[in-house]
């Protein structure tokens, strides 16, 4: 009889502790210290139009919010299966493995443990943070090009190279590298202008490329090349 009396008391005590102390609660800090913003242009539908496989963003987090508390995913609209993407928090950009033609949802989630010690905290249901979502549209038709051109300026093989600067809504380069390579000569020029003069080698092909260099290698391969035969 004594054993039958004790068991209900133990069960009642455990049930009371779970309901009273370790309830699930998602907490949100006052003032929202977790800020994420896209640095892109919107169209009339409110979509962020992406003309190249990179997306820029900026963050404002407390210093203790490390990468382990952040997640980035891109979903096809209407689906919950994310695309694989390269994530870089240090340089604040996202690079796609492949070009996601169409309209998609970009989701950035910040979840920092609340450290209350409750069951909800330990199981990941109680946290501080936010989830940000943006609609993005990939449109490669307006991807920028340098449109590299040249003209001879004298009979000794000296040419003037010209190229286009990126559009205003595109990241602006730190500088340009002009590189000449042929069978007996290499020459490199670094300039902030979108033109330069260079001397070709006689009787052979002169291979030239112009590369736009961006901060933190954000766009690592915006470049064009030409090959000129100089008699």
């Amino acid at each position: 009889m004594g054993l039958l009396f004790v068991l209900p008391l133990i069960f009642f005590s455990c049930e009371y502790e779970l309901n009273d102390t370790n309830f699930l609660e998602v907490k949100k800090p006052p003032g929202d210290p977790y800020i994420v913003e896209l640095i892109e242009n919107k169209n009339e539908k409110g979509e962020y139009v992406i003309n190249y496989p990179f997306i820029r963003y900026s963050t404002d987090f407390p210093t203790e919010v490390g990468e382990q508390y952040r997640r980035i995913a891109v979903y096809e609209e209407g689906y919950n299966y994310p695309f694989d993407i390269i994530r870089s928090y240090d340089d604040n950009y996202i690079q796609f493995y492949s070009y996601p033609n169409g309209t998609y949802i970009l989701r950035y989630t910040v979840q920092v443990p609340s450290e209350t010690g409750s069951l909800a905290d330990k199981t990941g249901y109680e946290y501080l943070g936010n989830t940000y979502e943006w609609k993005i549209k990939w449109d490669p038709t307006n991807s920028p090009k340098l449109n590299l051109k040249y003209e001879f300026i004298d009979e000794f093989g000296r040419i003037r190279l010209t190229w286009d600067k990126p559009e205003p809504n595109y990241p602006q380069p730190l500088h340009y590298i002009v590189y000449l390579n042929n069978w007996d000569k290499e020459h490199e020029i670094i300039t902030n202008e979108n033109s330069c003069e260079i001397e070709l080698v006689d009787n052979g092909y002169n291979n030239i490329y112009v590369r736009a260099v961006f901060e933190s290698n954000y766009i690592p391969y915006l470049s064009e090349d030409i090959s000129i035969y100089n008699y």
Side-chain angles (χ1 to χ4, degrees), residues 67-97:
E67 292 186 13
Q68 70 271 28
Y69 302 129
R70 296 176 261 166
R71 296 195 304 274
I72 302 176
V74 176
Y75 300 84
E76 188 173 1
E77 195 170 19
Y79 295 88
N80 288 320
Y81 185 80
F83 280 86
D84 288 332
I85 57 176
I86 298 173
R87 295 175 290 181
S88 176
Y89 300 115
D90 293 335
D91 295 329
N92 284 357
Y93 73 87
I94 303 165
Q95 179 186 12
F96 289 94
Y97 284 116

Side-chain angles (χ1 to χ4, degrees), residues 156-221:
F156 302 109
R158 192 162 186 82
I159 65 170
R160 177 181 291 110
L161 293 166
T162 59
W163 56 89
D164 296 340
K165 292 184 177 181
E167 296 296 326
N169 62 346
Y170 194 77
Q172 296 303 300
L174 296 176
H175 58 259
Y176 303 93
I177 296 177
V178 181
Y179 182 73
L180 167 67
N181 179 28
N182 51 39
W183 61 277
D184 69 350
K185 183 176 183 179
E186 293 186 5
H187 188 59
E188 183 178 278
I189 298 173
I190 297 177
T191 178
N192 293 320
E193 305 298 325
N194 61 321
S195 67
C196 76
E197 295 181 3
I198 196 167
E199 185 176 343
L200 304 179
V201 171
D202 292 337
N203 300 319
Y205 281 100
N206 295 263
N207 301 309
I208 303 170
Y209 76 70
V210 175
R211 174 175 297 169
V213 178
F214 297 88
E215 185 176 4
S216 301
N217 291 322
Y218 170 63
I219 307 291
Y221 52 78

Side-chain angles (χ1 to χ4, degrees), residues 94-107:
I94 303 165
Q95 179 186 12
F96 289 94
Y97 284 116
S98 60
Y99 298 176
N101 295 306
T103 303
Y104 295 82
I105 302 299
L106 170 62
R107 185 177 299 160

